[in-house]
Amino acid sequence: MSGSVAGDGGVPPEIGRARAWIVTDGKAGDENQCIGIAQALGLDVETRRIPRGRPLTWTAPWGPIDPRDAPGRAGGLLEGSLPDILIASGRRAVPYLRAVRRASKGRTFTAFLKDPRTGHDTADFIWVPDYDDLRGPNVFTTLTAPHPVSRARLDAARTQPDPRLAVLPWPRIAVLIGGDSRHLSYRKSDTRRLVRDLTKLADGGCTLMMTVSRRTPPELSAALADLIRRKGGFLWDGSGANPYVGMLAIADHIVVTSDSANMVGEAASTGVPLLLFDLPRTYIRHRRMFAGLAMAGALKPFIGRLEALRYAPIDATPEIAEAMAKAYAAHRERFDPARKAVPAKATVAKGSI
């Protein structure tokens, strides 16, 4: 089923008392998805990152974990009492999820975000985007990915805007820049085209609020910094707190590059018109997501001008959290039949700040 309009769902309130781990290799895109779900469920989570350079990670997702990280082993990644819930993402995390599942004899409820590449029965609950092929009785799909840019965080950022942004004149355009990935790399012609089209907005009276990522090519970062020097606006250079959510909260339009499906999904949660800067060799599966957002009236190509778009905020995070909570309740009943799920429903937490 595709991503729903942002809203409330119901989860058994007891899930908020569960002990939970997040396990990833530290990749921001994977970890943020896990954090978004944990926040929506009101979980107090402990994040455990797979150390770089660990032997055997090259065999993931099929191989074993490093013996030093065996569940319960002092000093290892999985030391201590095993959690009630483990949320994982990224291929390197798959063997660790399997190890916890095996050590707990299945009592730890395991959730994996994105396709683990090892089948739908790898975890108790799996979320994948609509455009992925994996399906199964425990697989839940939505148009956009889970993320931590909740309605509560956006509302708070609007109530108390970042002082660096609040002084900027309207209309304000948030510009979210990704960077090179294994699927594509920015060419010089892409940099020229992006700077040219952003210059058109600035010359038309728009104020640019820009943020770059660790993947952004240095040449592009330098060109964007020069554009801000010439035309005014704001570019986050990595110093001070990251104003990413603040930019989304007060933007009139959002320009986002097509190399990051996560950023596009986060931007869609605002209800603000999205303008997609398309890059050659954009991952074909991501294009399916972009097409879905375009059909919902949320997105158009960025060609150096603003577009009139109206749509309700699109955020699948509460929907995914509710589905996971129901799976968790059923899981607990299997291990303790006398313990029935609480029939009353509580509102899904709208994301901790």
Side-chain angles (χ1 to χ4, degrees):
M1 79 195 289
S2 50
S4 68
V5 171
D8 296 338
V11 301
E14 65 177 25
I15 196 172
R17 299 191 292 271
R19 293 180 55 253
W21 290 355
I22 287 174
V23 176
T24 72
D25 65 1
K27 191 177 299 181
D30 293 338
E31 195 164 290
N32 283 340
Q33 291 183 0
C34 297
I35 290 170
I37 291 297
Q39 289 179 345
L41 291 171
L43 291 171
D44 184 14
V45 295
E46 182 180 343
T47 299
R48 301 200 173 195
R49 298 185 182 97
I50 301 163
R52 291 187 178 183
R54 270 291 196 260
L56 301 177
T57 55
W58 65 272
T59 66
W62 299 279
I65 65 172
D66 188 309
R68 293 174 294 177
D69 290 331
R73 182 164 182 173
L77 185 74
L78 304 178
E79 69 175 338
S81 301
L82 297 178
D84 301 309
I85 297 173
L86 185 149
I87 307 173
S89 186
R91 71 173 180 85
R92 292 180 180 87
V94 175
Y96 288 84
L97 178 148
R98 281 200 306 264
V100 169
R101 202 178 190 193
R102 188 181 310 114
S104 71
K105 295 181 170 56
R107 296 192 72 89
T108 294
F109 176 81
T110 53
F112 196 85
L113 306 183
K114 297 192 301 189
D115 187 349
R117 307 300 179 188
T118 49
H120 72 82
D121 55 354
T122 297
D124 298 300
F125 177 87
I126 294 177
W127 166 84
V128 297
D130 286 342
Y131 55 72
D132 267 0
D133 298 326
L134 183 67
R135 296 294 183 271
N138 61 326
V139 178
F140 193 75
T141 72
T142 57
L143 175 61
T144 58
H147 57 76
V149 183
S150 65
R151 183 185 300 174
R153 293 183 69 193
L154 290 170
D155 288 345
R158 292 183 185 112
T159 301
Q160 294 185 312
D162 188 307
R164 295 170 294 177
L165 307 177
V167 296
L168 299 175
W170 302 90
R172 299 161 178 164
I173 313 302
V175 184
L176 315 179
I177 307 295
D180 295 341
S181 71
R182 61 191 178 95
H183 299 298
L184 61 84
S185 57
Y186 282 67
R187 307 165 305 177
K188 291 182 179 179
S189 58
D190 299 322
T191 294
R192 289 194 297 269
R193 179 166 57 95
L194 179 56
V195 172
R196 180 198 67 199
D197 289 346
L198 289 174
T199 301
K200 291 179 183 178
L201 292 185
D203 288 343
C206 296
T207 300
L208 305 177
M209 306 179 296
M210 293 197 266
T211 179
V212 296
S213 79
R214 288 173 294 182
R215 297 183 294 107
T216 305
E219 298 81 5
L220 176 55
S221 294
L224 296 174
D226 180 67
L227 174 59
I228 293 298
R229 281 193 295 269
R230 291 186 290 109
K231 302 295 182 178
F234 176 84
L235 172 65
W236 185 58
D237 58 5
S239 60
N242 188 343
Y244 180 78
V245 174
M247 288 182 182
L248 295 179
I250 66 171
D252 294 293
H253 286 70
I254 300 173
V255 175
V256 59
T257 56
S258 67
D259 55 277
S260 175
N262 281 345
M263 287 198 306
V264 175
E266 289 165 353
S269 70
T270 65
V272 171
L274 305 184
L275 304 174
L276 184 73
F277 180 76
D278 188 61
L279 291 156
R281 295 198 299 169
T282 293
Y283 194 31
I284 187 63
R285 292 174 183 255
H286 292 173
R287 290 194 186 279
R288 297 177 195 170
M289 170 190 157
F290 303 152
L293 289 172
M295 290 177 65
L299 178 149
K300 283 190 176 182
F302 177 52
I303 53 175
R305 69 185 185 209
L306 303 182
E307 302 283 354
L309 296 167
R310 291 184 178 275
Y311 68 99
I314 299 170
D315 183 2
T317 308
E319 184 183 356
I320 300 166
E322 182 176 357
M324 179 176 151
K326 289 178 179 176
Y328 173 68
H331 178 84
R332 285 175 65 89
E333 282 188 44
R334 285 197 297 273
F335 282 93
D336 188 359
R339 185 176 194 132
K340 296 297 183 182
V342 179
K345 288 187 174 183
T347 303
V348 174
K350 294 179 183 175
S352 305
I353 298 175

Tab-separated table of all heavy atoms in Angstrom, residues 55-79:
chain	number	residue	atom	x	y	z
A	55	PRO	N	36.249	-7.439	10.289
A	55	PRO	CA	36.360	-8.584	9.370
A	55	PRO	C	34.988	-9.214	9.146
A	55	PRO	O	34.109	-9.129	9.997
A	55	PRO	CB	37.290	-9.544	10.125
A	55	PRO	CG	38.048	-8.693	11.081
A	55	PRO	CD	37.106	-7.593	11.466
A	56	LEU	N	34.808	-9.789	8.022
A	56	LEU	CA	33.601	-10.525	7.619
A	56	LEU	C	32.458	-9.629	7.167
A	56	LEU	O	31.479	-10.140	6.625
A	56	LEU	CB	33.095	-11.454	8.749
A	56	LEU	CG	34.084	-12.520	9.236
A	56	LEU	CD1	33.487	-13.309	10.386
A	56	LEU	CD2	34.441	-13.464	8.099
A	57	THR	N	32.551	-8.297	7.334
A	57	THR	CA	31.442	-7.457	6.866
A	57	THR	C	31.333	-7.501	5.345
A	57	THR	O	30.249	-7.245	4.801
A	57	THR	CB	31.610	-5.993	7.329
A	57	THR	OG1	32.886	-5.495	6.910
A	57	THR	CG2	31.483	-5.877	8.842
A	58	TRP	N	32.426	-7.850	4.683
A	58	TRP	CA	32.372	-7.940	3.212
A	58	TRP	C	31.489	-9.097	2.771
A	58	TRP	O	31.043	-9.145	1.622
A	58	TRP	CB	33.778	-8.075	2.633
A	58	TRP	CG	34.483	-9.348	3.018
A	58	TRP	CD1	35.239	-9.556	4.126
A	58	TRP	CD2	34.483	-10.581	2.305
A	58	TRP	NE1	35.707	-10.837	4.162
A	58	TRP	CE2	35.266	-11.507	3.054
A	58	TRP	CE3	33.917	-11.008	1.102
A	58	TRP	CZ2	35.472	-12.813	2.643
A	58	TRP	CZ3	34.131	-12.320	0.686
A	58	TRP	CH2	34.901	-13.204	1.455
A	59	THR	N	31.220	-10.055	3.667
A	59	THR	CA	30.354	-11.180	3.321
A	59	THR	C	28.880	-10.865	3.544
A	59	THR	O	28.019	-11.691	3.212
A	59	THR	CB	30.712	-12.423	4.143
A	59	THR	OG1	30.416	-12.189	5.528
A	59	THR	CG2	32.170	-12.783	3.987
A	60	ALA	N	28.583	-9.714	4.143
A	60	ALA	CA	27.184	-9.348	4.415
A	60	ALA	C	26.444	-9.125	3.089
A	60	ALA	O	27.045	-8.674	2.107
A	60	ALA	CB	27.140	-8.080	5.261
A	61	PRO	N	25.156	-9.439	3.042
A	61	PRO	CA	24.293	-9.809	4.168
A	61	PRO	C	24.248	-11.297	4.481
A	61	PRO	O	23.524	-11.700	5.397
A	61	PRO	CB	22.918	-9.338	3.687
A	61	PRO	CG	22.958	-9.555	2.211
A	61	PRO	CD	24.363	-9.214	1.800
A	62	TRP	N	25.010	-12.133	3.743
A	62	TRP	CA	24.857	-13.582	3.900
A	62	TRP	C	25.769	-14.186	4.958
A	62	TRP	O	25.452	-15.204	5.552
A	62	TRP	CB	25.100	-14.273	2.553
A	62	TRP	CG	24.120	-13.831	1.524
A	62	TRP	CD1	22.843	-14.276	1.348
A	62	TRP	CD2	24.321	-12.826	0.536
A	62	TRP	NE1	22.232	-13.606	0.316
A	62	TRP	CE2	23.126	-12.713	-0.212
A	62	TRP	CE3	25.388	-11.992	0.190
A	62	TRP	CZ2	22.968	-11.812	-1.265
A	62	TRP	CZ3	25.243	-11.101	-0.853
A	62	TRP	CH2	24.039	-11.019	-1.568
A	63	GLY	N	26.913	-13.587	5.187
A	63	GLY	CA	27.900	-14.203	6.069
A	63	GLY	C	27.610	-14.009	7.544
A	63	GLY	O	26.611	-13.411	7.942
A	64	PRO	N	28.546	-14.489	8.405
A	64	PRO	CA	28.387	-14.367	9.855
A	64	PRO	C	28.907	-13.028	10.369
A	64	PRO	O	29.490	-12.238	9.613
A	64	PRO	CB	29.249	-15.513	10.374
A	64	PRO	CG	30.374	-15.584	9.370
A	64	PRO	CD	29.735	-15.276	8.031
A	65	ILE	N	28.726	-12.786	11.656
A	65	ILE	CA	29.294	-11.591	12.280
A	65	ILE	C	30.696	-11.906	12.781
A	65	ILE	O	31.099	-13.068	12.887
A	65	ILE	CB	28.420	-11.090	13.444
A	65	ILE	CG1	28.387	-12.130	14.580
A	65	ILE	CG2	27.012	-10.778	12.965
A	65	ILE	CD1	27.711	-11.623	15.835
A	66	ASP	N	31.434	-10.863	13.115
A	66	ASP	CA	32.735	-11.030	13.735
A	66	ASP	C	32.525	-11.732	15.090
A	66	ASP	O	31.693	-11.301	15.878
A	66	ASP	CB	33.371	-9.652	13.945
A	66	ASP	CG	34.814	-9.723	14.405
A	66	ASP	OD1	35.081	-10.449	15.382
A	66	ASP	OD2	35.663	-9.048	13.792
A	67	PRO	N	33.273	-12.804	15.386
A	67	PRO	CA	33.090	-13.507	16.665
A	67	PRO	C	33.231	-12.601	17.885
A	67	PRO	O	32.630	-12.861	18.930
A	67	PRO	CB	34.189	-14.575	16.635
A	67	PRO	CG	34.453	-14.807	15.182
A	67	PRO	CD	34.259	-13.474	14.519
A	68	ARG	N	34.013	-11.517	17.766
A	68	ARG	CA	34.165	-10.592	18.894
A	68	ARG	C	32.862	-9.878	19.234
A	68	ARG	O	32.708	-9.339	20.323
A	68	ARG	CB	35.238	-9.548	18.575
A	68	ARG	CG	36.645	-10.107	18.472
A	68	ARG	CD	37.621	-9.054	18.013
A	68	ARG	NE	37.349	-8.624	16.639
A	68	ARG	CZ	38.023	-7.671	16.001
A	68	ARG	NH1	39.017	-7.040	16.634
A	68	ARG	NH2	37.730	-7.355	14.764
A	69	ASP	N	31.918	-9.868	18.273
A	69	ASP	CA	30.647	-9.179	18.477
A	69	ASP	C	29.516	-10.130	18.850
A	69	ASP	O	28.340	-9.760	18.809
A	69	ASP	CB	30.258	-8.427	17.187
A	69	ASP	CG	31.165	-7.241	16.928
A	69	ASP	OD1	31.691	-6.668	17.900
A	69	ASP	OD2	31.348	-6.879	15.743
A	70	ALA	N	29.829	-11.350	19.216
A	70	ALA	CA	28.802	-12.333	19.538
A	70	ALA	C	27.875	-11.812	20.630
A	70	ALA	O	28.324	-11.125	21.561
A	70	ALA	CB	29.445	-13.644	19.983
A	71	PRO	N	26.577	-12.104	20.542
A	71	PRO	CA	25.631	-11.634	21.556
A	71	PRO	C	26.080	-11.999	22.970
A	71	PRO	O	26.455	-13.143	23.250
A	71	PRO	CB	24.334	-12.365	21.178
A	71	PRO	CG	24.450	-12.583	19.712
A	71	PRO	CD	25.905	-12.860	19.466
A	72	GLY	N	26.079	-10.988	23.846
A	72	GLY	CA	26.448	-11.195	25.242
A	72	GLY	C	27.926	-11.108	25.530
A	72	GLY	O	28.325	-11.049	26.701
A	73	ARG	N	28.770	-11.084	24.498
A	73	ARG	CA	30.221	-11.052	24.735
A	73	ARG	C	30.653	-9.651	25.157
A	73	ARG	O	30.354	-8.658	24.477
A	73	ARG	CB	30.966	-11.483	23.481
A	73	ARG	CG	32.474	-11.517	23.682
A	73	ARG	CD	33.173	-12.288	22.595
A	73	ARG	NE	34.605	-12.349	22.818
A	73	ARG	CZ	35.445	-13.077	22.099
A	73	ARG	NH1	34.976	-13.827	21.107
A	73	ARG	NH2	36.734	-13.085	22.368
A	74	ALA	N	31.359	-9.560	26.269
A	74	ALA	CA	31.802	-8.271	26.797
A	74	ALA	C	32.670	-7.544	25.788
A	74	ALA	O	33.581	-8.132	25.200
A	74	ALA	CB	32.566	-8.481	28.100
A	75	GLY	N	32.389	-6.267	25.594
A	75	GLY	CA	33.165	-5.450	24.667
A	75	GLY	C	32.734	-5.554	23.233
A	75	GLY	O	33.223	-4.799	22.386
A	76	GLY	N	31.824	-6.486	22.919
A	76	GLY	CA	31.360	-6.639	21.547
A	76	GLY	C	30.177	-5.746	21.249
A	76	GLY	O	29.573	-5.151	22.149
A	77	LEU	N	29.843	-5.665	19.991
A	77	LEU	CA	28.749	-4.801	19.571
A	77	LEU	C	27.422	-5.213	20.198
A	77	LEU	O	26.570	-4.367	20.494
A	77	LEU	CB	28.618	-4.819	18.042
A	77	LEU	CG	27.573	-3.862	17.469
A	77	LEU	CD1	28.073	-2.437	17.535
A	77	LEU	CD2	27.217	-4.227	16.036
A	78	LEU	N	27.236	-6.515	20.429
A	78	LEU	CA	25.959	-7.024	20.936
A	78	LEU	C	26.044	-7.424	22.404
A	78	LEU	O	25.305	-8.293	22.867
A	78	LEU	CB	25.497	-8.216	20.082
A	78	LEU	CG	25.379	-7.944	18.577
A	78	LEU	CD1	24.964	-9.212	17.840
A	78	LEU	CD2	24.393	-6.809	18.296
A	79	GLU	N	26.922	-6.785	23.154
A	79	GLU	CA	27.072	-7.127	24.569
A	79	GLU	C	25.838	-6.698	25.357
A	79	GLU	O	25.067	-5.842	24.944
A	79	GLU	CB	28.320	-6.453	25.151
A	79	GLU	CG	28.216	-4.940	25.277
A	79	GLU	CD	29.428	-4.334	25.976
A	79	GLU	OE1	30.110	-5.071	26.716
A	79	GLU	OE2	29.677	-3.138	25.776
